[in-house]
Amino acid sequence: MQDRYEPRSVEREAQAFWDARRSFHAEEDPARPKFYCLSMFPYPSGKLHMGHVRNYTIGDVLTRTHRMRGYNVMQPMGWDAFGLPAENAAMANKVPPAKWTTENIAYMKAQLKGLGFALDWQRELATCTPEYYRWNQWLFTRLFRKGLAYKKTGVVNWDPVDQTVLANEQVIDGRGWRTGAPVEKREIPMYFLRITAYAEELLGALDGLSGWPEQVKLMQKNWIGKSEGVRLAFPYRLDGEDKRLWVFTTRADTLMGTTFCAVAAEHPIAAWAAKRDARLAAFVEECKQGAVMEADLAQLEKKGMPTRLTVTHPLSGKELPVWIGNYVLMGYGEGAVMGVPAHDERDYAFARKYGLPIPCVIRHPAGDDVPEPWKPEYAGYGTCINSGKYDGLDYQAAVDAIAADLQAKGLGEKQVQWRLRDWGISRQRYWGCPIPIVHCPSCGDVPVPDEDLPVKLPEHLVPDGTGNPLAKMPEFYDTRCPSCGNAARRETDTMDTFVDSSWYFARFACPDQERAMLDQRAKYWLPVDQYIGGIEHAILHLLYSRFFQRVMRDEGLLAISEPFTHLLTQGMVLAETYYRDTPQGRREWVHPSEVQVTRDAKGRIESARRTNDGAEVVFAGVGTMSKSKNNGVDPQALIDKYGADTARFYIIFASPPTNTLEWSDESVEGSFRFLKRLWAYGAKLHGAATAARGAFDRAARLEVHSVLKQANYDLGKHQFNTVASAAMKMLNALEKLPGRTPAADEGFSILVRVLAPITPHICHHLWRALGYGEDVLQASWPEPDPAALEQDEIEYVVQVGGKTRGSLRAPKAADQKALETLVQTSEVAQKYIAGKPVRKVIVVPGRLINVVI
RNA sequence: GCCGGAAUGGCGGAAUUGGUAGACGCGCCGGACUCAAAAUCCGGUGCCAGCGAUGGCGUGUGGGUUCGAGUCCCACUUCCGGCACCA
């Protein structure tokens, strides 16, 4: 074994060994427990970023530890290959998205191989291939026939200059990103998937997901948003006809405090009113300006205008004005709300602004009226007042009584309302999976029959930013109706890329299956035992996947309902940011690698200068790695310099998986240093003759085995950073041993196995070089030896009055009484008791004694 | 705005889930080796006061519960993620 650690050759050799043996190829094996470990597949954007390296290293650690624990492990990898960035790159470089995507995949695949991940490449898939997306189409036609996919209008961002639909991301401060034109809302026909049909089940099943973080389950619960309330009607007469304005409320107990109703600008009443009043028409138009993002809408200044229409209060019979309000969402509930200014913050602000009455109908802790400013208590539950026959009722009694009275009049009933909306999947974009529908003038929307699938996406087009090129391509859209054979037009919208990623985890079980979406192998591998990915996917991707799993179940493809048994959500990777303001007043972001930092005697940053020209720069804290702040760290540069094992070790060691990770080049050096020390120790053992048991063996074994015990505990918590620390502690202990004693070999073989999932290449080499075995992948996971952990004496912490004052050693067998006596006679306690009466003595077995005085 | 998180030395983080706060590492300080540098090795390092023994303070802020709080409760501050067409 050579003295110098050379990661390049060590890594090449280990990877060649795994390739030759097909070490990571997984086969179904009913005799062993299976472990399907999956990291979220990447979008092939060009090259791996640090977030990928982190995600896949975490997945690889889990994969490799489970292998060593005897599981039949499958860890696949694929490409989420459709999407907007390919179209943007296509426009910028005049290259078809397909070519750009394929080249990116090839490069990134080589990078993943270089990192030594235990991936089964035989299962590789890409969502942009017809072999994959034909099953998107197949499933869509099934859902369409069942009514679970349907057409209705949806609202999109419209760029009036480019005449194109914009993604939310392409809207910057309410303007189109390319044209700068103010964005408008536009309603267009779209296909929707009826996820709301599964709302109750998706919500209820969260409780059973014991392997998911509570935080993610809570976010999903709130997103689905079940609320029980009352749907009720305000009757009105219009053009001689009796009509009803329906609203939904969770606060029917406040119904008697209603002083107005408000409808969304897209509501039929708004359209009716706008026809008769130019100012209203202008206001409705104004509401159509701007983007569709909820975050923007929620922060709009609350504005409204009264229509001339009045409605009748369903219980009191009072006439109430109907307003158009820009804060009423057409997409939630009925697109109309009842305004109860005294007990709803938005209604309060609205009524104050427009001088509407604000009668208090719920008693709250601060009194029976609602003076300015608004207080959260006003919206609390309480007893009804000023509400006629409902006075004195509490929330539940009032809701029950009011719902019953409404029902008797045929003007309302209790109803469950969901915040969750059906999933609009139509995208007016080229680089996606074509929606398999043919529009026939006589037969309507006809799903493409199975034998005509897949509807192939032409791969040679280059979009130009003015709408979908498919819609300008008669060779694509001119077709015949599958039903009647007459001329018809093919749908040119493609699917939301979330459709592609909502079932890919299942396809990994049988990516080569040409005759079906899934086969028997999926029944063996699914569900995914461990899923790993960014917290930013906590709601949409994970909820859509849970929905699709149920859709596939109901198609008879799989029996299970939940796709992911355990979920680990990793944190983001951040880096330092530095800038300087140029004389021209421009802010220039300087890459952290180009900055030289000077520190004071305590290591605090004093100043920072740009290395090449000495210009002073300002440290602006840490932030997500981004082009705009010029602080991205390229993992490839790191791998080239230190090797894959150092990159993997650092990323595991720097932070627990769920935390954000703040990048530091200096700390990477420390990780490299550790691996060099590890190598050097291995080389020293390798060159030494085996010695007899030494005097320090007992102490070294105690240390190694107690650290191992803790490491195994931490591994169970997925706290991998302290597992890496444990490896360092083991090496520290072993380096104190004088030679190659039995404890040295035992300890080193434990260390190499603990580290093998994190830094597989160097461990592969050391394991073989020291003759511990042929392949560390085949080794079993180490467990602590109870005999090594035996101790005769225990050190107790001594506290007096809750303050730590020192420690004392006591025999292991000492009981509470013996310890009480021991502590009261001890020098350390005597000093602080100082003759005061001892009230009691608290003993925490094996840890601490507290004398209360 | 709404929903969900996070906050511990100069820095990343640890604390066996209410029991010695700061493990492990980075940085910094001092030393060894070297003609010198790099690499490597050894020692020190929460803050304040003190030559020192030692004493006081200390886990974002303000309260509370407890023999004992980084950990539990209440109220806030700041930062981060998501908000349905980025993936």
Side-chain angles (χ1 to χ4, degrees):
Chain A
M1 201 181 149
Q2 60 180 27
D3 289 343
R4 236 177 99 84
Y5 169 47
E6 278 167 6
R8 205 174 311 269
S9 57
V10 169
E11 289 171 10
R12 219 182 296 122
E13 176 202 302
Q15 286 165 18
F17 181 93
W18 299 327
D19 276 348
R21 301 209 171 190
R22 305 205 313 142
S23 294
F24 308 126
H25 178 62
E27 293 281 353
E28 299 76 49
D29 175 5
R32 279 189 296 160
K34 64 97 184 175
F35 185 77
Y36 178 4
C37 187
L38 182 67
S39 291
M40 290 180 185
F41 64 166
Y43 178 78
S45 54
K47 51 187 183 182
L48 291 183
H49 57 66
M50 253 343 142
H52 293 131
V53 178
R54 188 175 196 199
N55 196 158
Y56 304 141
T57 303
I58 293 166
D60 210 41
V61 169
L62 284 160
T63 289
R64 288 170 180 271
T65 49
H66 279 81
R67 272 187 79 110
M68 290 174 75
R69 285 187 156 144
Y71 289 86
N72 183 28
V73 181
M74 194 259 281
Q75 183 180 227
M77 183 53 71
W79 310 95
D80 186 15
F82 274 137
L84 201 51
E87 297 197 20
N88 296 337
M91 281 189 268
N93 310 321
K94 308 266 184 283
V95 175
K99 185 169 187 293
W100 182 83
T101 303
T102 315
E103 286 170 6
N104 289 349
I105 288 175
Y107 183 76
M108 290 168 76
K109 183 175 176 179
Q111 287 191 299
L112 290 172
K113 288 196 158 185
L115 279 156
F117 297 130
L119 294 164
D120 182 357
W121 284 105
Q122 290 191 9
R123 294 171 188 271
E124 182 182 5
L125 58 79
T127 57
C128 63
T129 57
E131 295 75 35
Y132 183 83
Y133 67 67
R134 75 175 291 176
W135 302 110
N136 274 1
Q137 296 174 340
W138 179 86
L139 190 65
F140 178 86
T141 60
R142 294 296 172 291
L143 297 183
F144 188 80
R145 291 192 190 105
K146 274 187 178 177
L148 284 172
Y150 65 96
K151 188 156 85 173
K152 69 165 184 181
T153 59
V155 192
V156 294
N157 304 304
W158 180 255
D159 186 318
V161 174
D162 267 352
Q163 294 282 301
T164 193
V165 176
L166 298 176
N168 284 340
E169 191 193 45
Q170 297 171 317
V171 178
I172 295 151
D173 299 328
R175 290 168 183 275
W177 68 329
R178 283 158 57 83
T179 63
V183 167
E184 296 166 11
K185 295 187 188 75
R186 178 169 277 214
E187 293 198 62
I188 58 166
M190 290 173 46
Y191 290 94
F192 285 79
L193 301 186
R194 209 178 292 280
I195 189 173
T196 52
Y198 290 85
E200 190 80 63
E201 196 194 336
L202 288 167
L203 179 67
L206 287 171
D207 287 336
L209 285 175
S210 55
W212 281 40
E214 289 303 320
Q215 131 199 35
V216 173
K217 290 193 278 183
L218 190 54
M219 281 192 264
Q220 292 218 347
K221 181 180 174 222
N222 291 336
W223 183 263
I224 296 169
K226 181 178 187 172
S227 48
E228 298 184 31
V230 175
R231 178 175 181 262
L232 61 102
F234 292 79
Y236 62 99
R237 269 189 87 75
L238 185 65
D239 305 332
E241 269 182 76
D242 282 324
K243 297 199 169 195
R244 287 166 176 194
L245 172 62
W246 286 96
V247 304
F248 173 82
T249 179
T250 57
R251 290 301 302 271
D253 59 318
T254 66
L255 179 58
M256 301 311 281
T258 305
T259 58
F260 67 96
C261 286
V263 300
E266 298 86 2
H267 195 278
I269 285 182
W272 170 86
K275 268 188 242 158
R276 280 154 193 81
D277 183 333
R279 283 175 54 224
L280 276 175
F283 181 65
V284 167
E285 270 315 301
E286 187 191 323
C287 290
K288 285 185 184 163
Q289 294 293 314
V292 297
M293 283 102 90
E294 189 177 308
D296 289 353
L297 297 175
Q299 283 167 85
L300 281 181
E301 189 197 349
K302 311 282 174 283
K303 276 194 200 168
M305 276 189 83
T307 66
R308 264 173 282 175
L309 187 70
T310 61
V311 293
T312 311
H313 190 288
L315 297 179
S316 75
K318 272 188 203 156
E319 288 295 301
L320 304 174
V322 176
W323 286 62
I324 302 174
N326 67 350
Y327 66 99
V328 183
L329 301 177
M330 195 61 213
Y332 182 73
E334 303 288 339
V337 297
M338 62 184 216
V340 187
H343 306 292
D344 180 276
E345 188 171 4
R346 280 180 317 188
D347 295 345
Y348 189 87
F350 195 82
R352 284 273 172 221
K353 182 166 179 176
Y354 295 110
L356 294 159
I358 309 180
C360 179
V361 294
I362 300 289
R363 175 163 292 150
H364 57 86
D368 286 357
D369 54 3
V370 288
E372 281 191 281
W374 168 264
K375 292 191 190 70
E377 298 93 278
Y378 298 169
Y381 292 148
T383 309
C384 289
I385 54 172
N386 305 322
S387 300
K389 63 183 274 205
Y390 308 108
D391 281 355
L393 298 181
D394 66 11
Y395 169 74
Q396 198 54 56
V399 170
D400 290 345
I402 287 170
D405 288 349
L406 288 168
Q407 190 141 25
K409 292 183 167 193
L411 290 174
E413 71 273 295
K414 285 194 179 175
Q415 200 196 39
V416 171
Q417 183 70 39
W418 303 94
R419 206 190 78 94
L420 182 68
R421 308 198 294 260
D422 277 340
W423 175 14
I425 59 154
S426 293
R427 299 290 179 268
Q428 298 68 45
R429 265 187 263 296
Y430 161 51
W431 191 236
C433 167
I435 294 176
I437 291 282
V438 171
H439 304 288
C440 172
S442 38
C443 308
D445 288 3
V446 182
V448 175
D450 290 359
E451 59 272 23
D452 295 341
L453 294 178
V455 176
K456 280 200 185 175
L457 182 72
E459 295 200 347
H460 61 280
L461 304 180
V462 179
D464 62 3
T466 63
N468 183 352
L470 294 177
K472 302 169 194 164
M473 188 183 171
E475 308 93 288
F476 180 77
Y477 64 70
D478 277 345
T479 186
R480 301 239 151 233
C481 171
S483 188
C484 70
N486 289 331
R489 186 183 164 99
R490 187 183 296 288
E491 173 67 49
T492 56
D493 282 359
T494 54
M495 291 185 200
D496 180 0
T497 56
F498 271 123
V499 175
D500 311 331
S501 56
S502 292
W503 67 280
Y504 77 109
F505 52 86
R507 184 69 182 176
F508 275 132
C510 48
D512 54 358
Q513 177 53 262
E514 289 173 10
R515 284 193 293 274
M517 188 172 184
L518 300 176
D519 65 26
Q520 286 301 316
R521 292 172 287 175
K523 294 190 173 127
Y524 174 82
W525 287 113
L526 290 170
V528 172
D529 296 283
Q530 178 70 61
Y531 197 35
I532 306 118
I535 183 71
E536 67 273 19
H537 296 290
I539 295 174
L540 292 179
H541 164 61
L542 290 169
L543 189 61
Y544 292 149
S545 297
R546 296 182 62 224
F547 165 52
F548 256 57
Q549 181 62 49
R550 286 168 170 80
V551 165
M552 291 190 287
R553 176 198 65 195
D554 294 346
E555 281 300 319
L557 295 165
L558 285 166
I560 55 167
S561 303
E562 287 294 339
F564 314 120
T565 309
H566 295 274
L567 173 69
L568 191 159
T569 49
Q570 70 170 25
M572 320 250 310
V573 185
L574 312 178
E576 292 172 335
T577 54
Y578 296 92
Y579 68 84
R580 67 179 209 109
D581 289 320
T582 62
Q584 294 78 38
R586 215 160 38 82
R587 182 154 290 186
E588 185 184 9
W589 294 91
V590 181
H591 196 270
S593 65
E594 294 163 11
V595 171
Q596 184 75 43
V597 170
T598 34
R599 295 171 189 277
D600 66 11
K602 297 226 166 78
R604 279 180 287 239
I605 294 180
E606 260 182 341
S607 66
R609 296 185 173 280
R610 188 156 62 189
T611 323
N612 59 359
D613 60 2
E616 188 142 349
V617 295
V618 181
F619 172 63
V622 288
T624 51
M625 289 189 183
S626 69
K627 273 192 184 137
S628 62
K629 289 203 172 167
N630 191 19
N631 65 339
V633 178
D634 183 2
Q636 198 54 49
L638 181 78
I639 296 161
D640 292 345
K641 188 168 177 192
Y642 300 106
D645 280 338
T646 296
R648 295 172 57 122
F649 184 89
Y650 170 71
I651 221 155
I652 289 297
F653 175 66
S655 193
T658 52
N659 275 28
T660 55
L661 186 154
E662 289 176 27
W663 192 261
S664 153
D665 286 335
E666 286 157 345
S667 298
V668 176
E669 284 282 356
S671 297
F672 186 52
R673 201 174 300 158
F674 167 66
L675 293 185
K676 282 193 284 189
R677 263 177 62 208
L678 180 78
W679 181 274
Y681 185 76
K684 193 181 114 189
L685 280 196
H686 182 255
T690 308
R693 245 179 88 176
F696 300 102
D697 273 24
R698 194 180 143 79
R701 290 198 80 216
L702 174 63
E703 175 69 5
V704 168
H705 285 266
S706 7
V707 168
L708 174 62
K709 190 179 170 193
Q710 182 65 40
N712 281 348
Y713 176 83
D714 292 348
L715 206 53
K717 290 196 293 181
H718 295 167
Q719 187 172 288
F720 304 130
N721 57 323
T722 49
V723 177
S725 297
M728 290 175 153
K729 288 182 195 175
M730 286 181 193
L731 185 60
N732 289 346
L734 293 176
E735 281 177 332
K736 291 191 188 109
L737 286 172
R740 190 171 184 178
T741 64
D745 267 317
E746 186 207 23
F748 198 59
S749 90
I750 288 172
L751 166 55
V752 170
R753 278 178 287 166
V754 167
L755 214 43
I758 302 172
T759 57
H761 309 90
I762 189 172
C763 292
H764 168 85
H765 188 97
L766 291 170
W767 187 256
R768 289 165 61 85
L770 287 156
Y772 298 146
E774 196 198 6
D775 183 359
V776 70
L777 290 173
Q778 310 295 332
S780 61
W781 190 259
E783 295 296 336
D785 174 6
L789 298 172
E790 290 281 339
Q791 284 184 91
D792 310 331
E793 279 198 326
I794 294 176
E795 184 155 309
Y796 279 86
V797 172
V798 177
Q799 294 187 337
V800 179
K803 290 207 169 197
T804 302
R805 295 302 187 185
S807 64
L808 65 82
R809 295 188 74 83
K812 195 183 158 196
D815 61 5
Q816 163 112 19
K817 229 184 187 135
L819 287 167
E820 280 184 26
T821 319
L822 197 61
V823 74
Q824 292 192 49
T825 55
S826 73
E827 205 180 313
V828 55
Q830 282 292 332
K831 183 176 165 193
Y832 292 96
I833 294 169
K836 289 179 206 122
V838 172
R839 265 193 18 229
K840 62 177 169 176
V841 178
I842 293 161
V843 174
V844 182
R847 291 190 149 274
L848 170 142
I849 310 165
N850 184 10
V851 183
V852 186
I853 52 174

